[in-house]
Amino acid sequence: GYGYIHMGDAVQDLDGEEAYWIEKFVEKPNLEDAEKYVESGQYLWNPGIAVWRVDKLLALFEELRPEEYAALMRLEPYLGTPQEAEAIARELRDTPKLAIDYTIHEKAPRLAVIPADLGWSDIGTWDALMDVLPFNDETNVVHGADVITQETENCLIHGGERLIATLGVRDLVIVDTGDCVLVAHRSRSQDVKAIVERLKAEGKTHYL
């Protein structure tokens, strides 16, 4: 479930920390490929944490995303003023919503990476959230005003004011947001984006 960075040659020593040129970014692989990446010692998880000099990053925007760069430049006079929020809404309203990984990071030359143990976890899915929360109902993680579990194992249940009752289930994510309910197998929690896309396609964006 993670993207990876393929390390190349070492750049230089930084107070005992090695920095490596980035050969390429690799999208989320299947389990077999991920195991090979880890075994090789040449790949790192990509946490999406980047450090830039501002002028270098803006130069890349100017080269790779000129329309977004122009919008950013139009915003500059408003930064730190009472009109900032209104200017951001106006100038960025029609710009495409694209991840900086794809638009800048993967196209930028001479990027380097420093291997580090950051004690970091990508809590990007409900299943990942269960990995960092303590079990508070036998083998389940339960949050909500009124939850009853019966013969329920390894489930994350996140509710509100309404009663949620489970019976004879395991390995589920159950989320009640008040106006909708998500029920998914824990192994499929990353695929919730497919539901999001379907809601958009069916014009049900008020649920998002």
Side-chain angles (χ1 to χ4, degrees):
Y2 292 89
Y4 284 77
I5 295 173
H6 185 190
M7 296 184 294
D9 295 333
V11 180
Q12 62 185 34
D13 185 77
L14 301 175
D15 295 327
E17 297 289 345
E18 286 288 337
Y20 298 87
W21 293 116
I22 293 177
E23 286 286 329
K24 63 180 177 179
F25 293 90
V26 182
E27 278 304 298
K28 298 175 181 178
N30 58 41
L31 177 60
E32 183 181 357
D33 287 338
E35 289 174 341
K36 291 178 181 177
Y37 293 165
V38 173
E39 206 172 298
S40 74
Q42 297 177 336
Y43 290 80
L44 303 171
W45 280 344
N46 179 12
I49 298 171
V51 179
W52 295 87
R53 270 180 38 182
V54 174
D55 59 333
K56 297 293 186 183
L57 182 59
L58 287 175
L60 284 168
F61 266 95
E62 185 175 18
E63 176 188 351
L64 300 171
R65 307 296 303 181
E67 292 184 13
E68 285 89 338
Y69 174 80
L72 291 173
M73 293 301 99
R74 291 193 297 269
L75 280 176
E76 190 173 16
Y78 299 98
L79 297 180
T81 72
Q83 293 78 39
E84 179 178 327
E86 180 184 346
I88 289 173
R90 180 182 66 248
E91 296 297 343
L92 302 184
R93 179 180 57 235
D94 298 324
T95 57
K97 294 179 175 62
L98 300 172
I100 195 170
D101 308 58
Y102 310 127
T103 54
I104 301 296
H105 293 179
E106 294 183 7
K107 296 179 174 62
R110 291 174 57 80
L111 289 188
V113 62
I114 299 175
D117 182 357
L118 305 177
W120 171 90
S121 177
D122 178 13
I123 308 177
T125 67
W126 288 104
D127 188 42
L129 182 61
M130 191 169 179
D131 291 335
V132 299
L133 293 178
F135 296 132
N136 58 359
D137 180 75
E138 297 183 349
T139 62
N140 306 297
V141 175
V142 173
H143 178 273
D146 201 357
V147 178
I148 296 174
T149 60
Q150 186 75 25
E151 298 175 30
T152 298
E153 298 179 6
N154 299 315
C155 290
L156 171 65
I157 303 170
H158 190 282
E161 297 302 317
R162 294 190 293 189
L163 168 68
I164 296 178
T166 61
L167 173 62
V169 296
R170 61 179 300 143
D171 300 326
L172 294 181
V173 171
I174 302 169
V175 182
D176 181 359
T177 63
D179 60 349
C180 59
V181 178
L182 169 70
V183 180
H185 195 275
R186 284 185 56 190
S187 67
R188 301 294 302 276
S189 63
Q190 290 194 58
D191 298 332
V192 70
K193 58 188 175 184
I195 301 295
V196 172
E197 293 305 315
R198 183 167 175 179
L199 289 172
K200 289 178 181 178
E202 295 180 3
K204 299 177 181 178
T205 54
H206 57 285
Y207 289 116
L208 301 177

